[in-house]
Amino acid sequence: GLLDCQCCRYLRTARACCQMVEVLLAVLILVCSSVSYGPTGGYTGLPSLGGIYYYQYGGAYSGFSGADGEKAQQLDQHFYLQKLPVARAAMATGGFLLVFSSVRILVGVLRLPWRFPAWLLLECVLDIVIAVGMVPALYYFFHFLLGVYNSSVCKEREQLYQSKGYQGFRCSLHGAEIAAGLSGCIAAMTYLLSAGLAVTGYRTVAKLKQKPVQL
């Protein structure tokens, strides 16, 4: 089959499978972050549509008018700006992990570790650095979000929407944010496993290079 060719045999190894899982987790982090923070926020009034207020998270709503509509718009914008820094950081992290894991798969397919075994040791170090770095990153992620949800802006926004009978604006973590955090935790463990496999691969390559006749 396709995976039997010399260049693609790497895709059947444990290291390649581990790296493909890392790619999947990076995509989940990127997607969940963009889903959670993608809308620009703002409860925008559209007089051309008969005074209906259209909320950019989706759906047309009525019930806000005058000062309440302006207040809702201001609270949405402030709430969005508060979450923006951690949103960008999460999406940047997901994008970096996606590129990093994809490059490692490409390097394996091109058999660079066989030509330069030291690459496996470098890969091991980088995997450990990323796995350890995910711990403070996840702490910062949830700590920052909880601070935003405990802010006066979020509480006032929640009360305003509840006064009009709208649900779904509670000051608590959303499913996409929890999924992004869980994906990060699993990614940290996956990178540790990948580091161990890189060391094993280095030992295997070193032994094979000592016995070229048997190849």
Side-chain angles (χ1 to χ4, degrees), residues 15 116-121 197-207:
R15 284 183 59 240
F116 305 100
W119 166 263
L120 292 171
L121 296 180
L197 292 174
V199 174
T200 303
Y202 175 80
R203 293 175 178 173
T204 302
V205 171
K207 290 181 181 179

Side-chain angles (χ1 to χ4, degrees), residues 162-190:
Q162 286 182 348
S163 67
K164 301 299 181 179
Y166 297 133
Q167 304 298 325
F169 300 93
R170 295 185 178 89
C171 294
S172 58
L173 294 173
H174 296 172
E177 296 163 350
I178 296 175
L182 291 177
S183 298
C185 293
I186 299 174
M189 294 184 289
T190 306

Side-chain angles (χ1 to χ4, degrees), residues 28-166:
L28 288 176
I29 294 174
L30 187 59
V31 170
C32 290
S33 301
S34 62
V35 167
S36 181
Y37 311 107
T40 57
Y43 197 79
T44 308
L46 298 178
S48 60
L49 297 180
I52 296 176
Y53 288 95
Y54 183 83
Y55 191 67
Q56 295 184 15
Y57 290 136
Y61 295 84
S62 59
F64 284 92
S65 60
D68 287 340
E70 295 178 358
K71 186 65 173 179
Q73 182 180 14
Q74 293 175 0
L75 290 174
D76 280 335
Q77 291 174 349
H78 291 161
F79 182 69
Y80 167 75
L81 291 176
Q82 284 184 335
K83 294 176 69 175
L84 188 59
V86 73
R88 290 177 174 174
M91 287 186 285
T93 300
F96 167 76
L97 295 179
L98 177 60
V99 173
F100 178 69
S101 299
S102 300
V103 168
R104 287 160 61 221
I105 293 176
L106 179 61
V107 166
V109 170
L110 296 178
R111 303 188 69 199
L112 182 62
W114 172 256
R115 300 182 183 92
F116 305 100
W119 166 263
L120 292 171
L121 296 180
L122 175 61
E123 186 176 304
C124 174
V125 173
L126 294 176
D127 288 340
I128 293 176
V129 170
I130 291 177
V132 174
M134 288 293 290
V135 176
L138 288 170
Y139 171 80
Y140 169 80
F141 177 76
F142 286 111
H143 179 75
F144 191 97
L145 284 177
L146 291 176
V148 172
Y149 286 127
N150 290 327
S151 65
S152 59
V153 172
C154 184
K155 298 296 184 182
E156 187 176 358
R157 176 176 176 266
E158 179 184 19
Q159 293 176 0
L160 179 60
Y161 277 104
Q162 286 182 348
S163 67
K164 301 299 181 179
Y166 297 133

